[in-house]
Structure formats: structure tokens, C-alpha cells
Amino acid sequence: MPNNLKKTTKVLLVGGGYMGTEYAKVLTGLNVDYEVVGRGVSNCEKIEKEFSVKVHSGGLERFLSNNILSEFSHIINSVNINFLNETTQSLINAGAEKILLEKPGDLTISGLQKISDLSKMHCAEVLIAYNRRFYSSILGLKKLAKKDGGIIGVHFEFTEWIHTINPKDYDNESLAKWVIANSSHVIDTVFYLIGKPKNISSNISGETQIPWHPNASIFYGSGESEKNIPFTYHANWLSAGRWAIKVLTKKGAYYLEPLEILQKQDIGTTIIEKIDLDYSLDERYKPGLYQQVYNFINNHFEDFCTIENQLIKTKNIYNKIAKY
């Protein structure tokens, strides 16, 4: 992919943990000028050594007290989910104009509303980093489905492997709202493809079966999108399964199972074959991240979820599906 970044582009990456490191790999690969702000000294030293980039330890507040934010054209906020809201508000108040905010931005309606209101007040663009929108498989699916005449139906599954989740690794609020904290990746991708639901019937069961997510463990429902595309879903966290999306067109069915790979079954056959796409960027970097960052720093925002859209989706989709 050609690198046509403006010479004035400079990125501030906030967060030195796992996602910060993944973003640093992409920014280095894009050969863009960037600096990193982290809290922990060990993480900062690790990133500085691995990527030979300027790193500021001690946290965002310390950085903002000693630096001018206006020299950075784009901000990527990849801090822990508990601090996303606080750091985003600090960045907006300090003059940030374009922020790529790690999903979900906030777990609450009130928290998302605060960011949305503040961004409007300061004319800041805040975009939610749902990187699966930028998978090679998703980009390929969009083109192929359009050639087929468009999507006519979708079924999706957001089963979580609860046996692999150690509650000690996460805070209680994130665990209690795991559909928003994690499963929303799948749900966002579906409605990115077919448009937001104009009606949705949601059901849950299996309450109290998962100690850290007592609200429910089984989710199933159906509806129709604003583009008049019917959809169904079923996720059972007590059984086997995985994240998966099945997309129907008049010429066949496309399977994203796993989401990183696109497969197709043509009408009149039971054979499911992998679609030959260029998956190289998703193999070299965390899938979807390169294309996401590339579009963000080139100001191609049309495929992103805005903070306003995230607020609406949390109210009308995530909270309805999970019955939060």
C-alpha cells in the first residue's frame, strides 16, 4: 500500500500496554512520525527499545503538563478500558482534534454521552477503533457482496470461550458487561455491513450461570436492518462455538468463521471454498489494524464508528441484546 501521508502528520500514541505495542508496530511500518505516552516505566522502556521511538513515561497528565498537544495531528488512545473515558476527556480538553479511541470507548451510556458532548463542544473528531471493520476478509466481502447484488440476509454468533477467561485479568465492570467490552466486535461488524437495526427482538437466558457475567449466558434474537435486511443471532457461552458471521446473497453464502478468513458456498453446491484475497497485512500485523490506522491518519473516516454512533449502538443494540 502506498504511503501518501502528509508531511505534517504526527501521531501521539497513548498507552504502552499490549494494544499500544500493536499500534506501535503499525505506525513504525507506516513510517509515520509518532511518540508514545505510557504510565508504567517497564512498558515504556520496552516500546522505546523495540521501536526506537520517543517515549514519555509517567502517564498522560504528566505529559500534558510539559508538552503542547497541537504538534500532534492525530491521537490514538489505547489505554486500559477503565481509563479510556478519563484520558479521552483530558485529550479533548487539551486540544486534540482527531482521536482514535479503543473500543468500546466506555461501558456506560453516561460515559459515552460525556465524551460525545465534549467532542461537540470542542469540535473534536472521536472515532471508535473497531478494527474488524478493516479486516481483509470484510473488505473483500463488501466488494463481492456488491457484485452479487447486495446482502439479503445475515446470521451471526458471538459465543465467548468463557473457559479461557480468567476473571482476575479484568475489572468487574468489564466482566459484567462483556458483550460491550468484547463481543461488540462481532455485533458492530454485522451492522456495519447491513445498516443499523430498525427493529430487533432480543432474548436471554442462563442467568447466574457465569459468576462474573450473571446477567445472562445465552443470547438469541432476530430483526431487520434499516436496509430491510433480515438478521438472526444465537450465542451460547455455556456450549461450544466461536465468533462467526454468515452473509447471504442471491448468488451464495459467505462465511466468516473465523472472521479473519472469507469463504463462499455457491448456490447449488455444498462445497465451501476459501476466497483468494491478499491477507498479508493481517498476517504481518494484528488483523485490521494496519488498514484502520492508515485510514485514520489519512483522514478517511467514512468507515469508522463515531462516538455518536457508538452511543446510539450501545443504547439500541448492545444493551438490548444483553439486557443490560
Side-chain angles (χ1 to χ4, degrees):
M1 178 180 291
N3 188 342
N4 57 357
L5 299 178
K6 297 179 180 179
K7 292 184 179 180
T8 55
T9 298
K10 187 175 183 180
V11 179
L12 180 66
L13 173 58
V14 184
Y18 166 72
M19 281 306 302
T21 300
E22 296 300 317
Y23 277 113
K25 291 177 184 176
V26 170
L27 291 168
T28 300
L30 282 166
N31 195 31
V32 63
D33 186 15
Y34 75 100
E35 296 180 16
V36 180
V37 175
R39 184 176 298 275
V41 175
S42 59
N43 282 341
C44 289
E45 289 178 345
K46 183 180 178 181
I47 288 181
E48 186 174 32
K49 182 178 180 180
E50 182 174 354
F51 302 104
S52 299
V53 63
K54 187 175 183 180
V55 179
H56 309 266
S57 62
L60 182 62
E61 289 185 11
R62 179 179 178 182
F63 173 83
L64 292 176
S65 66
N66 296 301
N67 295 272
I68 300 174
L69 203 59
S70 59
E71 68 174 290
F72 299 95
S73 59
H74 298 74
I75 314 291
I76 298 176
N77 187 356
S78 68
V79 301
N80 185 282
I81 191 171
N82 307 95
F83 302 102
L84 286 173
N85 192 308
E86 174 188 340
T87 52
T88 300
Q89 290 194 56
S90 295
L91 288 166
I92 294 173
N93 285 324
E97 297 180 352
K98 300 167 186 175
I99 302 174
L100 180 60
L101 173 60
E102 259 303 307
K103 60 85 184 170
D106 195 274
L107 293 165
T108 66
I109 298 296
S110 59
L112 291 169
Q113 188 71 63
K114 287 179 181 178
I115 298 175
S116 178
D117 291 344
L118 193 63
S119 66
K120 290 177 183 177
M121 186 186 305
H122 291 269
C123 298
E125 189 84 49
V126 181
L127 308 170
I128 306 297
Y130 279 114
N131 58 298
R132 281 155 183 80
R133 292 187 177 203
F134 299 91
Y135 276 10
S136 297
S137 57
I138 298 298
L139 299 176
L141 170 62
K142 287 175 62 180
K143 293 178 181 178
L144 292 170
K146 186 176 181 180
K147 285 184 179 179
D148 285 358
I151 298 172
I152 61 173
V154 168
H155 175 76
F156 64 98
E157 179 182 346
F158 54 91
T159 297
E160 297 283 353
W161 288 7
I162 61 170
H163 63 282
T164 67
I165 299 172
N166 184 353
K168 295 180 180 179
D169 294 337
Y170 305 94
D171 64 280
N172 291 334
E173 186 179 14
S174 297
L175 290 167
K177 291 190 173 182
W178 198 249
V179 169
I180 299 175
N182 201 54
S183 307
S184 63
H185 263 306
V186 187
I187 304 168
D188 169 80
T189 303
V190 169
F191 294 110
Y192 165 65
L193 291 170
I194 69 173
K196 62 185 179 182
K198 65 179 181 181
N199 62 70
I200 182 171
S201 174
S202 298
N203 305 281
I204 60 170
S205 62
E207 294 89 338
T208 71
Q209 295 298 301
I210 303 173
W212 49 265
H213 193 271
N215 202 59
S217 53
I218 302 171
F219 314 83
Y220 54 101
S222 62
E224 191 175 24
S225 80
E226 61 184 353
K227 297 180 181 179
N228 300 317
I229 300 172
F231 63 86
T232 60
Y233 67 89
H234 190 169
N236 191 323
W237 295 4
L238 302 178
S239 187
R242 68 186 308 166
W243 287 3
I245 302 173
K246 179 181 179 180
V247 173
L248 302 175
T249 71
K250 290 181 179 179
K251 293 188 177 181
Y254 292 93
Y255 294 87
L256 293 154
E257 190 176 356
L259 301 188
E260 291 85 351
I261 302 297
L262 181 62
Q263 302 177 82
K264 186 181 183 183
Q265 176 187 3
D266 290 320
I267 288 180
T269 178
T270 58
I271 300 173
I272 300 175
E273 296 182 316
K274 180 180 177 181
I275 301 293
D276 185 20
L277 299 173
D278 183 359
Y279 296 100
S280 59
L281 288 174
D282 288 347
E283 293 168 348
R284 192 179 312 160
Y285 303 98
K286 183 177 177 63
L289 217 61
Y290 188 100
Q291 292 276 17
Q292 176 181 260
V293 174
Y294 178 86
N295 279 276
F296 173 61
I297 58 184
N298 278 286
N299 302 320
H300 299 157
F301 298 155
E302 58 271 12
D303 288 320
F304 285 89
C305 172
T306 65
I307 186 64
E308 291 79 17
N309 287 338
Q310 182 70 345
L311 175 59
I312 293 170
K313 286 192 305 177
T314 302
K315 285 181 179 178
N316 299 333
I317 303 177
Y318 306 141
N319 281 356
K320 282 189 176 181
I321 285 177
K323 303 293 184 184
Y324 291 145

